[in-house]
Amino acid sequence: PPPPFPPSADGAMFRTVTLALALASAAAFVPAARGPVARSRAAVTMATPSDEVPIDMTRRTIMNAVLFSGVGAAALGALVPYVAFFVPAGGGGGGAGLVAKDALGNDVKEADWLATHGPGSYALVQGFKGDATYLIVRDDKTLENYALNAICTHLGCVVPWNAAEKKFKCPCHGSQYDATGKVIRGPAPLSLALAHRETNPDNGKVTLNPWTETDFRTGDAPWWK
């Protein structure tokens, strides 16, 4: 059968015009895509940091403040007992010092101590900073007016009293101290630290007070002050 349109120049032109009209009609129903994009770009270009504060930045600032506040409080809580450890508890005279504790954590009373510790006794109590400290019973059955820190000044071992040789002998590296705690053999460089020993007249409890004056054994200022 013959084609609906004859293959002539007029037919080709008719098809071209028809296609152009169809495309133009379709474009009329499609919104322009570049207008909003252009306006958006312009808005971004013209915006400045001072125009608004992003919500994420505000949240980040609040979270940082909460975090650092928590960390600071925890650090302060840990620091308080650490500082207190290095500050001697108590001081002054008249028995108003640190109450000595026995091995069971009980307060030491002079009368009870002397009832169980004879002349020449060197026995340990808990002193400043929790350090082992020697109470000394004199030959007249009274307590010596000073106490000795039992921590070796070399590397910190607890130094036992050798009653047979009447001196302290460190089992770690061989340092030795006489009966007053004065160093007589190295490698320990210093004598044992001193503390005043007193008795509270109201309750009979043994108290320890910091020794801040001249070391009577050496004539020097106290190295532990």
Side-chain angles (χ1 to χ4, degrees), residues 25-186:
S25 299
F29 293 95
V30 177
R34 297 184 60 83
V37 174
R39 286 194 297 271
S40 177
R41 289 177 180 174
V44 171
T45 303
M46 296 175 63
T48 63
S50 62
D51 291 337
E52 60 179 357
V53 178
I55 296 177
D56 289 344
M57 182 176 295
T58 303
R59 291 175 179 172
R60 188 180 302 113
T61 301
I62 295 174
M63 291 303 295
N64 287 341
V66 172
L67 175 62
F68 284 111
S69 298
V71 172
L76 182 60
L79 183 62
V80 169
Y82 180 81
V83 173
F85 180 82
F86 289 96
V87 177
L98 175 74
V99 177
K101 305 285 186 180
D102 63 18
L104 298 178
N106 300 316
D107 293 346
V108 174
K109 292 187 176 182
E110 181 176 10
D112 295 339
W113 189 265
L114 292 176
T116 55
H117 297 80
S121 168
Y122 284 72
L124 291 171
V125 296
Q126 180 179 314
F128 294 124
K129 307 178 190 177
D131 285 352
T133 302
Y134 282 103
L135 291 183
I136 306 169
V137 181
R138 295 184 288 209
D139 292 338
D140 61 359
K141 299 183 181 181
T142 60
L143 284 175
E144 186 62 78
N145 59 10
Y146 63 86
L148 295 174
N149 189 306
I151 305 302
C152 182
T153 59
H154 179 220
L155 292 179
C157 298
V158 174
V159 182
W161 168 249
N162 188 312
E165 300 183 34
K166 298 188 181 300
K167 60 184 176 181
F168 297 96
K169 299 179 69 174
C170 182
C172 296
H173 301 95
S175 297
Q176 297 185 15
Y177 307 83
D178 69 13
T180 66
K182 180 180 179 180
V183 62
I184 55 176
R185 176 178 175 181

